[in-house]
């Protein structure tokens, strides 16, 4: 069956996703048309095509343990000069993304891999274009704001013919939120009855 290139990410919802993709195209990033706007959990990774079922089962298990969390994007930043990338910052939800990507890349799982750079959740708006265009992207979206509730993530595969990333499957969080703690009472306490 050969190999394929997959990625795992959190999609930026509408209307923000299309707007940022159009902006990225407008800044001269020709790859933008083939990359849905996202926050990466697993960067492009070559896997055996025959492992798809195992990978999907692993991601379903990760999602089953996950809980919805808020995400807020705010302003821009850059990885330059280390990497030619300008991005919209993840102002809220970064810690949850970090934990999630660690579970996706779990050492015992089918997507275990080392990263080229330390994980830093972000939304790319310009990559590998000239410096003036990168400066423009960073400046023009410096006041960008968006917020929503993350309810899951998705598996994508890169088409070998046109390079476009296409959705393979979405995975919804199904973990239950923790129970709220009970208020402290004065006086003697009794052991709680075991859960039935």
């Amino acid at each position: 069956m050969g190999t394929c290139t997959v990625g795992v990410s959190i999609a930026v919802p509408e209307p923000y996703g299309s707007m940022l993709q159009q902006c990225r195209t407008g800044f001269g990033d020709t790859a933008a048309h083939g990359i849905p706007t996202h926050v990466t959990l697993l960067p492009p990774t070559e896997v055996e095509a025959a492992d798809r079922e195992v990978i999907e089962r692993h991601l379903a298990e990760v999602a089953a343990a996950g809980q919805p969390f808020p995400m807020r994007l705010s302003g821009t930043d850059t990885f330059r000069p280390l990497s030619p990338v300008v991005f919209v910052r993840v102002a809220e939800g970064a810690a949850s993304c970090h934990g999630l990507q660690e579970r996706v890349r779990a050492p015992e799982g089918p997507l275990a891999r080392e990263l080229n750079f330390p994980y830093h959740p972000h939304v790319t708006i310009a990559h590998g274009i000239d410096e003036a265009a990168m400066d423009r992207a960073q400046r023009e979206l410096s006041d960008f704001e968006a917020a929503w509730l993350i309810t899951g993530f998705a598996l994508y595969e890169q088409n070998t013919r046109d390079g476009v990333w296409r959705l393979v499957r979405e995975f919804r969080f199904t973990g239950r939120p923790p129970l709220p703690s009970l208020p402290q009472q004065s006086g003697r306490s009794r052991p709680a009855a075991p859960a039935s």
Side-chain angles (χ1 to χ4, degrees):
M1 289 183 74
T3 63
C4 58
T5 300
V6 300
V8 179
S9 63
I10 295 170
V12 175
E14 299 301 343
Y16 313 117
S18 292
M19 179 208 154
L20 290 176
Q21 189 176 37
Q22 289 167 5
C23 287
R24 186 171 175 177
T25 301
F27 298 137
D29 190 335
T30 56
H33 79 280
I35 306 173
T37 308
H38 67 281
V39 175
T40 297
L41 296 174
L42 176 79
T45 301
E46 188 173 348
V47 298
E48 293 294 327
D51 290 342
R52 171 72 68 72
E53 185 177 338
V54 174
I55 289 169
E56 291 191 27
R57 189 161 56 244
H58 166 66
L59 294 176
E61 290 171 0
V62 171
Q67 298 171 15
F69 61 90
M71 175 166 284
R72 183 169 61 86
L73 306 179
S74 179
T76 56
D77 205 342
T78 183
F79 292 133
R80 295 179 291 172
L82 188 62
S83 181
V85 173
V86 171
F87 59 89
V88 171
R89 296 184 311 109
V90 174
E92 182 179 2
S96 296
C97 288
H98 197 283
L100 193 54
Q101 65 87 28
E102 284 185 332
R103 292 190 294 278
V104 167
R105 294 187 304 107
E108 67 279 7
L111 295 173
R113 61 160 290 179
E114 293 295 319
L115 299 179
N116 296 330
F117 299 100
Y119 182 72
H120 186 283
H122 63 281
V123 177
T124 299
I125 53 171
H127 180 208
I129 56 179
D130 68 74
E131 288 296 316
M134 300 268 268
D135 291 341
R136 180 177 154 229
Q138 190 167 354
R139 183 177 62 251
E140 290 189 7
L141 288 171
S142 62
D143 61 352
F144 180 83
E145 296 277 342
W148 70 98
L149 187 69
I150 303 297
T151 58
F153 57 86
L155 173 67
Y156 290 82
E157 182 176 336
Q158 188 175 34
N159 186 283
T160 55
R161 293 184 301 278
D162 59 14
V164 172
W165 287 89
R166 292 186 169 84
L167 176 66
V168 173
R169 180 177 166 189
E170 293 181 322
F171 299 88
R172 297 291 175 201
F173 296 140
T174 56
R176 294 182 178 176
L179 294 173
S181 57
L182 297 173
Q184 294 292 325
Q185 296 181 353
S186 58
R188 290 179 174 255
S189 60
R190 304 181 355 180
S196 56

